[in-house]
Amino acid sequence: MTGRVGRTGKTARGGAQSSAGDLLELVRSGRAVTRGALQQMTGLSRATVGQRLDRLFRAGWLREGAGGPVDSPLGGRPAVTLEFDGSHAVVLAADLDTRHARAAVLTLTGEILAEHSGTLVVEDGPEAVLAELGRWFARLLDQADHRPEEVCGIGLGVPGPVDSETGQVIQPPMMTGWDGYDIRGRLSRAFTEHTGAPAVPVLVDNDANLMAYGEQRTGHPECAAFVLVKVSTGIGAGVVVDGALYRGIDGGAGDIGHIRVGTDALCRCGSYGCLAAVASGGAVARRLAEAGVPAESGSDVRELLAAGDPRAAALAREAGRQVGDVLATVVTLLNPGVLMIAGDLAGTPFVTGVRELLYQRALPRSTAHLDVVTARLGERAGVIGAGALVVEHLYAPERAEERLAALGV
């Protein structure tokens, strides 16, 4: 479409069809941060650019910054720069694991203002879990000293495959009672019930996807093909290509924990021989328990690894080798620039095992420019990714136009 701003960063000179939302996208991305640059990028007249920027100023979405480079080769006063004003609203985000969760209040630029983590068991069912998240959000807004009416959206990560069109989890192996449930609607109601504020948009995605999105945007924004593998109670992967999440047809992309690896171990999904049945944090915990070491979950394994337990380290390295064998195929298929290991097992023993098998099995060409790293954001990656996803959704050009019209500006 002429004059629209794409995910690739290219903007056609389209005159009157470049909307206020398009101009906002150019400013937010840093591709055009002065009025003169916006005119050059879009082909719009000075008056039209001014009119459309005025809508963004009245909405409180843009502000003027410090003087930038002089637009004219003849010199003159420095051009006034334009900045996205991230203070006009906040985002709520939560990241569910199987037995615990983290929730946060974030600015529109990704800064965490208040956060809480605690026990929350997904097998208790969506009604109980989402109602509790509503209570957490209300308390966090008080801690962050922000009114509920300032919330523009909510992002939620869950440990299962998600249809991004509906926000529903589809046949999740570790979320009994959640299949096809209206997560968006219930979480929106829980927010209203506990804060009294009007309903806001809710976005739901897979936890590994949101971790990948948060890590790629904050630490590896120039990486065109980024893969994050989360190894906790289960195993999942998030893939970011050209700055956008790759979800597959119905949210099933990255579910590598259920690739068959030639074993007769029974997986929680009901099948035999899945990678998660032998190499996840849950699988390692079961093997430790069989050896007399008290461990029930991936988080228990993480604590044992942190304490230097040699049996946990040996089993984690073996699990890493099994995952590395599968990742050799993933790397050959996707040719990523960064492969990030995250989750409960993401320590030296596990990563060492991954490297051993990955570099042994993958073609040298596939790994020549590959960085195998561990997560930078740690347990905050999911909420940061969820917050970023909400902001990108709400301020994308088309949605921004709808919201500006609703505001009457």
Side-chain angles (χ1 to χ4, degrees), residues 177-395:
W178 292 73
D179 187 17
Y181 185 84
D182 181 18
I183 297 174
R184 289 176 177 173
R186 182 65 186 98
L187 187 53
S188 181
R189 291 194 301 275
F191 167 71
T192 298
E193 289 164 4
H194 292 284
T195 64
V200 296
V202 176
L203 298 184
V204 184
D205 214 318
N206 172 261
D207 56 353
N209 281 352
L210 294 180
M211 291 176 69
Y213 198 58
E215 292 279 6
Q216 189 271 339
R217 287 176 59 85
T218 58
H220 304 272
E222 303 304 319
C223 181
F226 177 96
V227 176
L228 178 142
V229 179
K230 178 185 178 183
V231 186
S232 291
T233 301
I235 301 175
V239 180
V240 182
V241 177
D242 289 336
L245 280 169
Y246 178 75
R247 300 182 177 91
I249 296 299
D250 61 4
D255 204 2
I256 65 171
H258 300 287
I259 292 175
R260 304 297 174 83
V261 293
T263 167
D264 59 0
L266 177 63
C267 182
R268 293 183 63 170
C269 73
S271 297
Y272 290 88
C274 294
L275 178 65
V278 295
S280 65
V284 172
R286 285 193 297 273
R287 294 187 64 183
L288 286 168
E290 291 168 0
V293 180
E296 296 181 359
S297 65
S299 58
D300 293 333
V301 178
R302 178 179 59 192
E303 293 176 3
L304 289 167
L305 290 170
D309 186 282
R311 290 164 295 186
L315 288 174
R317 182 166 181 169
E318 181 182 341
R321 288 172 58 85
Q322 292 166 315
V323 173
D325 197 7
V326 170
L327 289 179
T329 300
V330 173
V331 165
T332 301
L333 177 65
L334 297 177
N335 190 209
V338 174
L339 172 62
M340 179 172 284
I341 309 298
D344 291 329
L345 266 60
T348 299
F350 183 85
V351 175
T352 298
V354 168
R355 289 176 177 274
E356 288 173 356
L357 261 290
L358 173 63
Y359 287 104
Q360 177 183 330
R361 298 292 171 83
L363 290 172
R365 186 188 182 285
S366 300
T367 58
H369 303 288
L370 175 68
D371 288 331
V372 180
V373 300
T374 53
R376 296 175 63 254
L377 300 176
E379 295 184 352
R380 291 177 163 179
V383 293
I384 290 174
L389 193 71
V390 170
V391 172
E392 290 304 314
H393 172 75
L394 293 179
Y395 295 91

